[in-house]
């Protein structure tokens, strides 16, 4: 056991483990649902409080010393109770607790996601800003800028030190997914990229922004696969404790794919958990993993161009994260609003409502205006809750509460779009 003097944290002597052991303690506490803040290998107030709660959960007592004995107790507890920590989906992270927030960077961008990156309980955000023009060529197209903004409760500041390297990403980022892809207790970002958006649509590699031992982040290729990746979500599909990724690639014969993660930020393609009906060519561009029926399990939502062999559909989750045609719910088309962008669900189990964000397509126009479709799961009733063809389309839909009322609308207050749910 090593001893560290941490006057800036406690003002007293603290007897604690080596930083490597401390990181493992913090990691396992986080996996068991105890908040420790940043996994930094430093014994702080949050780590101490989390250890106290852990021991109290089974009638034990924390002696105030965090060392290899605490690490052994954590591992023993996890093994004896056969605990597989629940990994929140990227949809949960992006949607839950959301309110319309005014960003510091570009107000309109496709790949922005709000989450707590530094463990202080305040929302921060990541965004990827496109820089290329279709007047360029795929080889000369300017890469996007990846940026991290830290929140302080009243605003944000661009932290230029958290990302190492040149901070350049892919050509055309389309969606950012948050999960702990390398299992170090810190959130990482998988960026879905589709590349140069013009014929011949050559595609590109997805990117992943991974936390490093120096508490900074580095940008890597997610794997060697090139495609026109447009939508996605992250979750643990195979139950091995590693976050996996769902992506859409309409240029593939398997347009909806699951990439299984290895816990180190690497992925391999699998089609085993994808319904057979999705293993054929179709213009699917949107995928999300909301809890549609309110049973606590993530469900599969897919959409895209619903006039081009990509019907908007929900596949309810079986007990083993499988999705079968028998659990499929079809969402009716909306004439002239054939491009499906995003989805959220509201209401109590047995009385759930699905809200589908759309823009124009299938009528000779493309990406003009914004419409929100309301669909009742039980009655199958479908109606247009909002539609303005003169407005600019927006990419993301959220739900939030204010003064006891629930709203559905854009995640950006500048869009000014919100619907009172109840």
């Amino acid at each position: 056991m090593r001893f560290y003097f941490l006057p800036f944290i406690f003002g007293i002597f603290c007897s604690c483990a080596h930083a490597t052991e401390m990181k493992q303690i913090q990691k396992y506490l986080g996996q068991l649902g105890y908040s420790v803040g940043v996994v930094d290998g430093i014994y702080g107030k949050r780590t101490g409080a989390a250890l106290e709660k852990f021991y109290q959960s089974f009638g034990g007592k924390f002696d105030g010393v965090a060392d290899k004995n605490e690490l052994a107790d954590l591992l023993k507890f996890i093994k004896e109770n056969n605990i597989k920590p629940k990994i929140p989906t990227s949809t949960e992270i992006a949607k839950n607790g959301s309110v319309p927030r005014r960003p510091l960077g570009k107000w309109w961008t496709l790949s922005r996601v709000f989450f707590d990156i530094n463990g202080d309980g305040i929302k921060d955000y990541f965004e990827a800003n496109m820089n290329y023009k279709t007047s360029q060529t795929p080889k000369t197209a300017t890469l996007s800028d990846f940026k991290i903004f830290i929140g302080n409760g009243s605003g944000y500041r661009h932290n230029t030190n958290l990302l190492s390297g040149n901070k350049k990403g892919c050509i055309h980022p389309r969606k950012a997914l948050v999960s702990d892809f390398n299992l170090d207790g810190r959130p990482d970002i998988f960026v879905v990229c589709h590349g140069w958006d013009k014929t011949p649509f050559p595609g590109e590699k997805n990117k992943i922004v991974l936390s490093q031992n120096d508490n900074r982040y580095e940008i890597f290729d997610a794997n060697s696969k090139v495609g026109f990746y447009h939508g996605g979500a992250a979750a643990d599909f195979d139950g091995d404790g590693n976050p996996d990724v769902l992506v859409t690639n309409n240029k593939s014969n398997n347009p909806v794919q699951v990439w299984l993660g290895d816990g180190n930020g690497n992925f391999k393609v699998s089609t085993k958990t994808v319904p057979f009906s999705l293993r054929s060519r179709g213009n699917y561009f949107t995928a999300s993993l909301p809890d549609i029926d309110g049973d606590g399990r993530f469900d599969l939502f897919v959409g895209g161009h619903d006039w081009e062999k990509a019907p908007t559909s929900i596949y309810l989750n079986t007990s083993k994260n499988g999705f079968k045609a028998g659990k499929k719910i079809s969402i009716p088309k909306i004439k002239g609003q054939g491009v499906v962008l995003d989805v959220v669900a509201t209401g109590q189990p047995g009385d759930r409502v699905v809200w589908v964000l759309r823009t124009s397509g299938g009528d000779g126009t493309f990406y003009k205006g914004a419409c929100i479709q309301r669909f009742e799961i039980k009655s199958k009733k479908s109606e247009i809750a909002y539609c303005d063809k003169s407005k600019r389309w927006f990419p993301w839909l959220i739900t939030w509460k204010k003064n006891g009322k629930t709203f559905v609308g854009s995640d950006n207050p500048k869009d000014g779009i919100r619907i009172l749910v109840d």
Side-chain angles (χ1 to χ4, degrees), residues 201-422:
F201 303 100
E204 65 179 327
K205 298 174 186 177
N206 293 317
K207 297 290 184 180
I208 188 165
V209 185
L210 285 175
S211 55
Q212 304 298 301
N213 290 332
D214 62 359
N215 289 329
R216 300 177 75 200
Y217 284 80
E218 192 169 346
I219 303 168
F220 301 93
D221 291 336
N223 59 19
S224 61
K225 303 294 183 182
V226 173
F228 197 82
Y229 303 107
H230 199 279
D236 182 9
F237 280 88
D238 56 3
D240 65 353
N242 301 326
D244 310 309
V245 172
L246 173 80
V247 293
T248 62
N249 175 15
N250 74 310
K251 298 299 182 182
S252 170
N253 289 327
N254 294 300
V256 181
Q257 307 169 358
V258 172
W259 291 10
L260 298 177
D262 66 356
N264 294 306
N266 306 306
F267 304 90
K268 63 179 181 180
V269 180
S270 170
T271 57
K272 291 182 179 179
T273 57
V274 176
F276 186 78
S277 58
L278 293 176
R279 300 178 198 176
S280 59
R281 199 72 175 262
N283 273 341
Y284 288 101
F285 295 100
T286 296
S288 187
L289 297 171
D291 180 4
I292 292 292
D293 53 5
D295 66 353
R297 296 194 297 261
F298 63 85
D299 303 304
L300 171 60
F301 175 89
V302 292
H305 297 175
D306 64 10
W307 73 99
E308 293 179 331
K309 298 180 181 180
T312 308
S313 306
I314 297 164
Y315 293 85
L316 296 180
N317 197 340
T318 66
S319 59
K320 295 182 179 180
N321 291 349
F323 306 95
K324 299 179 180 179
K327 292 282 188 177
K328 177 182 175 182
I329 299 173
S330 297
I331 305 293
K333 296 180 180 181
I334 299 293
K335 186 177 181 180
Q337 299 297 313
V339 177
V340 173
L341 301 169
D342 199 15
V343 65
V344 293
T346 60
Q348 299 302 313
D351 189 28
R352 298 282 279 177
V353 176
V354 176
W355 307 81
V356 180
L357 178 62
R358 294 174 173 269
T359 188
S360 74
D363 63 345
T365 65
F366 199 48
Y367 278 82
K368 302 294 183 184
C371 289
I372 300 175
Q373 177 184 11
R374 182 182 185 275
F375 177 76
E376 296 178 2
I377 293 292
K378 187 175 182 179
S379 69
K380 303 296 188 292
K381 178 183 176 182
S382 173
E383 61 183 350
I384 299 174
Y386 168 89
C387 199
D388 188 341
K389 297 180 181 180
S390 67
K391 253 193 177 307
R392 182 175 186 175
W393 68 280
F394 60 94
W396 311 122
L397 205 57
I398 61 170
T399 65
W400 69 95
K401 287 187 177 292
K402 185 176 182 180
N403 299 326
K405 297 179 180 180
T406 303
F407 296 90
V408 169
S410 170
D411 68 339
N412 195 311
K414 195 167 182 178
D415 291 327
I417 298 171
R418 69 176 189 175
I419 300 169
L420 177 63
V421 175
D422 55 35

Side-chain angles (χ1 to χ4, degrees), residues 93-109:
I93 294 171
K95 306 289 187 183
N96 292 359
S98 292
V99 295
R101 291 181 171 89
R102 190 177 297 278
L104 181 65
K106 292 182 178 179
W107 79 268
W108 200 99
T109 186

